[in-house]
Amino acid sequence: MQHITLDREEGVLVITLSRGKANALNCEMVDELQQALNHAGADDRTHGVVITSGVPKMFCGGFDVQEVFAYAPEKLQTYMGHFIRLFDTLRTLPKPTVAGINGHSYGGGSILALACDERLMAEGDFQFALNEVTLGVVLPSRMVQAMAAVVPGPTARQMFLEGHAWRAQAAQQHGIVEELVPINNVRHRALTVARQLASRPPRAFAAHKRALVEAAGGPPYTPDETAAMCVEFSAVWFDEECQCYRDLLVSRLQTK
């Protein structure tokens, strides 16, 4: 693996994001994460999953602005298809999943965190945001429904309609993360929570999780549904409004 590292501790697979200073998601990193989750789902020795970061003070900065924003339409559809499948695999994995958010989390990183069963965040001046609406990006409705179901209604509206960014303490107060922990303890605490969840009878846990998942974002996406989501996403991504806002973001980042 080039962009992530894998460790197993007492039956829990720890997936550590380790791509550059922002853990920005590109095609290769998404595919590596998919491979890791496929392994976790099929391996009887793996009873839970933790996703965290090896980058100081940064969980994930979202899609790679320099790379993904430059994808041609066909490449963008391929990338988004893989990302949607990764999100769907994570939200439907019949084993406990815990996000150990040890720093800032934006965009695609927050989407993956919201697909997990529980989220822990480091104490401090860190932000959690899903800022797609500020870029004119339209997420597939079933993905929005699945994520909105795990946070209180007013928080979901701020998240998806305003692109609001919460500091760590506010993220806990608004029900986005379950716990705040010292930054050096995020991995350990995430492992503890994952092991606690994995101690439940696995068949009952999987059945109850499946029921919750289907009540929120519906059953696993079919290939045809995923393909349709990609076409709709790409059509908006390349329209004039979205292109304008994405260009503004790229310009701001280049002047920093």
Side-chain angles (χ1 to χ4, degrees):
M1 296 290 188
Q2 182 179 358
H3 303 305
I4 64 175
T5 60
L6 304 177
D7 300 284
R8 183 184 288 105
E9 295 190 28
E10 297 182 31
V12 175
L13 179 66
V14 181
I15 302 173
T16 303
L17 311 180
S18 54
R19 182 173 186 259
K21 64 181 182 180
N23 283 327
L25 298 164
N26 67 351
C27 252
E28 290 76 17
M29 187 174 185
V30 166
D31 287 346
E32 288 182 9
L33 287 166
Q34 182 68 53
Q35 291 175 37
L37 292 181
N38 289 346
H39 173 75
D43 183 15
D44 291 338
R45 298 174 301 166
T46 299
H47 307 300
V49 172
V50 164
I51 300 179
T52 190
S53 164
V55 177
K57 302 181 180 180
M58 175 63 75
F59 177 68
C60 179
F63 291 177
D64 188 319
V65 171
Q66 298 301 322
E67 182 174 335
V68 175
F69 280 27
Y71 285 162
E74 184 176 349
K75 177 73 169 179
L76 189 279
Q77 284 195 33
T78 298
Y79 169 78
M80 196 59 192
H82 291 194
F83 183 77
I84 291 171
R85 183 178 59 157
L86 174 63
F87 171 82
D88 197 40
T89 301
L90 186 54
R91 78 181 184 102
T92 60
L93 194 76
K95 299 177 181 181
T97 56
V98 179
I101 306 169
N102 62 314
H104 298 294
S105 180
Y106 300 108
S110 296
I111 290 173
L112 296 181
L114 289 166
C116 291
D117 298 323
E118 295 202 20
R119 286 155 296 285
L120 316 175
M121 192 168 184
E123 298 171 340
D125 193 27
F126 302 119
Q127 290 188 330
F128 186 102
L130 208 160
N131 56 333
E132 273 67 12
V133 70
T134 66
L135 301 176
V137 173
V138 178
L139 294 171
S141 59
R142 285 189 63 188
M143 292 180 69
V144 172
Q145 291 164 7
M147 290 184 283
V150 303
V151 295
T155 299
R157 285 190 290 275
Q158 283 186 292
M159 183 176 291
F160 294 106
L161 301 184
E162 300 177 21
H164 186 77
W166 288 267
R167 300 291 179 182
Q169 186 173 4
Q172 184 191 31
Q173 292 170 345
H174 285 79
I176 298 169
V177 300
E178 281 72 26
E179 292 183 36
L180 297 183
V181 295
I183 190 168
N184 293 329
N185 197 43
V186 170
R187 176 189 170 104
H188 174 75
R189 180 59 185 156
L191 274 163
T192 299
V193 172
R195 285 194 291 265
Q196 288 172 344
L197 291 174
S199 70
R200 276 50 175 178
R203 183 177 62 181
F205 179 91
H208 290 165
K209 180 173 178 176
R210 182 170 60 251
L212 289 171
V213 163
E214 294 189 2
Y221 310 144
T222 67
D224 286 346
E225 287 173 328
T226 300
M229 290 182 196
C230 292
V231 171
E232 293 173 2
F233 181 88
S234 180
V236 174
W237 181 270
F238 289 104
D239 73 12
E240 184 177 355
E241 178 181 276
C242 187
Q243 184 71 59
C244 176
Y245 282 101
R246 288 190 289 108
D247 288 347
L248 286 172
L249 174 62
V250 172
S251 178
R252 288 199 302 269
L253 292 175
Q254 288 174 342
T255 58
K256 287 185 177 182

